[in-house]
Amino acid sequence: MTVDDAHNGGEAEPPAYPTPHHVVDHTAEPTDDPLAIRLEQLILGADRRYTPFQAARTAGVSMELASRFWRAMGFADIGQAKALTEADVLALRRLAGLVEAGLLSEPMAVQVARSTGQTTARLAVWQIDSFLEGLTEPPEPGMTRTEVTYPLVELLLPELEEFLIYVWRRQLAAATGRVVQAADDEEMVDRRLAVGFADLVGFTRLTRRLEEEELGELVEAFETTCADLVAAHGGRLIKTLGDEVLYAADDAGTAAEIALRLIETLSHDETMPALRVGIAFGTVTTRMGDVFGTTVNLASRLTSIAPKDTVLVDGALAEELTRTGDAPVSETQAAEEAARAEKEGEEPPTYRFALQPMWQRPVRGLGVVEPWQLSRRPT
């Protein structure tokens, strides 16, 4: 019997749609554990009522589309177990309604589901691993973790929910502001950005020497420091990759300042390995919060060839820094300007950064490039 036959009154329900293993979180599978069910009811605010087919039918959505949405959100294939709630039905109605109203195309609705699912899945795992596990240690002898977890989640849930919505609205406002300031629609898809990679030197060797807990603490400290510095100086942290972070900035000066701040800050931390940074400036394709393109690849390659505690930039970023007056065209020019200003009794031009051309070299997949070493000019 087909899905349409069942939807039109047949008694049999369709077979479950298989879910690719690379996109699901199998911890989302239903469980019969009493505490887990109580916690699920507390968090979701509803009891289990529907099989996937029943939820799709109640929402007025085809089983095929419902499966696409659930897969995109990272939910495990549960067959036809009765494990879904009114909230699941409402979510399907909302996504399908956006498509029906013409506000989103179907592929875009799936992208919304996927980006939201991936982001919140990582957040939820982090909160459980790093937050709840520590807090649910039994405060008194004889108490079980089970006896502590439920009331703790009950207290935390509304506060964390409100905080999540607040941060999301703030980020949405910032992203919307960038959209309306763009020159045209194409600029929002293929934008000119400065992209930087910061990479810990010798991290692979370090993993062989440190215990897992020590390594985890080092990575967390590195990611936290980078995230704070990137945000504080006007950049956007795109993603973290353990020993590497990727960030972007709308202008070259901001990206350069962040890079030098990272080097300066981490070099004073004796627990941290040396750092190297590569930055490139140019057209970048943005998608689902990530960045792609030749500019991103070039920034990565520059990082891989940078000496420790050094920032290398491409020619386009160097040119942009000189165009905006953040760096002199050459040290000879800077010296001439300073001498001329002194002779005429004027203040010499001030530059934030210095640029030193390096030897041209071939870079895998990108041909020959001429990197520039970025440093801070003395005040």
Side-chain angles (χ1 to χ4, degrees):
M1 180 180 291
T2 66
V3 175
D4 290 336
D5 291 336
H7 188 72
N8 291 330
E11 294 181 0
E13 292 183 352
Y17 284 79
T19 307
H21 290 279
H22 67 281
V23 297
V24 302
D25 174 6
H26 286 282
T27 61
E29 293 178 358
T31 176
D32 294 327
D33 181 86
L35 175 63
I37 292 176
R38 287 183 61 212
L39 283 169
E40 179 188 280
Q41 291 172 341
L42 171 65
I43 294 170
L44 298 180
D47 297 331
R48 298 175 175 182
R49 290 187 56 186
Y50 304 102
T51 67
F53 178 74
Q54 290 169 341
R57 181 171 57 187
T58 304
V61 176
S62 73
M63 187 64 197
E64 181 181 0
L65 183 57
S67 294
R68 289 187 66 197
F69 285 151
W70 286 326
R71 289 169 182 168
M73 286 184 274
F75 298 158
D77 174 24
I78 60 172
Q80 288 303 321
K82 185 172 286 189
L84 303 181
T85 71
E86 289 289 349
D88 297 294
V89 172
L90 181 59
L92 285 179
R93 282 178 181 163
R94 282 177 170 158
L95 277 175
L98 291 172
V99 175
E100 291 172 3
L103 295 173
L104 294 178
S105 66
E106 188 173 305
M108 182 59 70
V110 172
Q111 285 186 18
V112 169
R114 179 169 288 112
S115 62
T116 305
Q118 290 177 354
T119 302
T120 53
R122 184 179 180 186
L123 175 63
V125 170
W126 180 89
Q127 289 175 331
I128 293 299
D129 289 348
S130 303
F131 189 48
L132 291 182
E133 280 191 1
L135 290 179
T136 54
E137 290 296 331
E140 297 180 11
M143 290 188 69
T144 65
R145 185 182 295 271
T146 299
E147 292 173 317
V148 177
T149 301
Y150 189 92
L152 181 62
V153 172
E154 191 173 29
L155 290 171
L156 284 174
L157 185 62
E159 302 301 324
L160 291 177
E161 182 178 24
E162 289 297 323
F163 185 69
L164 174 62
I165 293 172
Y166 155 73
V167 175
W168 172 72
R169 285 182 176 273
R170 269 288 179 188
Q171 294 287 4
L172 189 63
T176 304
R178 290 193 292 270
V179 170
V180 299
Q181 291 175 35
D184 51 46
D185 291 342
E186 290 186 1
E187 185 179 332
M188 289 312 303
V189 178
D190 296 313
R191 308 174 59 191
R192 285 180 62 79
L193 295 175
V195 177
F197 276 94
D199 176 53
L200 291 175
V201 179
F203 184 77
T204 302
R205 293 193 299 273
L206 199 63
T207 60
R208 302 190 188 105
R209 302 203 317 262
L210 296 180
E211 298 291 335
E212 288 186 5
E213 185 174 348
E214 293 177 308
L215 192 63
E217 291 175 353
L218 184 145
V219 169
E220 183 175 356
F222 169 64
E223 291 182 350
T224 299
T225 300
C226 291
D228 288 348
L229 286 172
V230 169
H233 294 282
R236 296 188 298 284
L237 188 69
I238 303 300
K239 58 186 173 184
T240 59
L241 305 168
D243 62 331
E244 189 174 56
V245 299
L246 169 63
Y247 70 93
D250 292 326
D251 63 90
T254 297
E257 181 66 30
I258 290 170
L260 292 175
R261 292 276 182 175
L262 289 172
I263 296 286
E264 292 161 358
T265 301
L266 293 179
S267 65
H268 288 89
D269 187 340
E270 296 180 355
T271 66
M272 283 287 171
L275 189 71
R276 55 189 178 186
V277 183
I279 318 174
F281 184 79
T283 301
V284 174
T285 297
T286 59
R287 185 179 179 85
M288 290 179 63
D290 208 341
V291 291
F292 306 91
T294 302
T295 301
V296 181
N297 296 337
L298 179 54
S300 177
R301 299 290 187 269
L302 289 171
T303 306
S304 67
I305 63 175
K308 66 179 183 179
D309 291 331
T310 300
V311 181
L312 291 187
V313 306
D314 73 331
L317 189 126
E319 182 179 343
E320 186 69 8
L321 289 177
T322 59
R323 185 188 69 80
T324 57
D326 284 314
V329 173
S330 67
E331 290 304 310
T332 300
Q333 180 204 47
E336 291 174 351
E337 290 174 342
R340 188 182 310 112
E342 183 179 0
K343 181 179 180 180
E344 296 177 0
E346 299 175 352
E347 287 292 324
T350 57
Y351 299 104
R352 287 197 289 167
F353 310 117
L355 292 164
Q356 178 182 348
M358 310 291 285
W359 292 105
Q360 289 186 351
R361 63 191 72 187
V363 174
R364 181 167 53 89
L366 297 171
V368 177
V369 299
E370 181 181 2
W372 295 70
Q373 182 174 329
L374 176 77
S375 60
R376 195 182 297 283
R377 287 181 63 83
T379 55

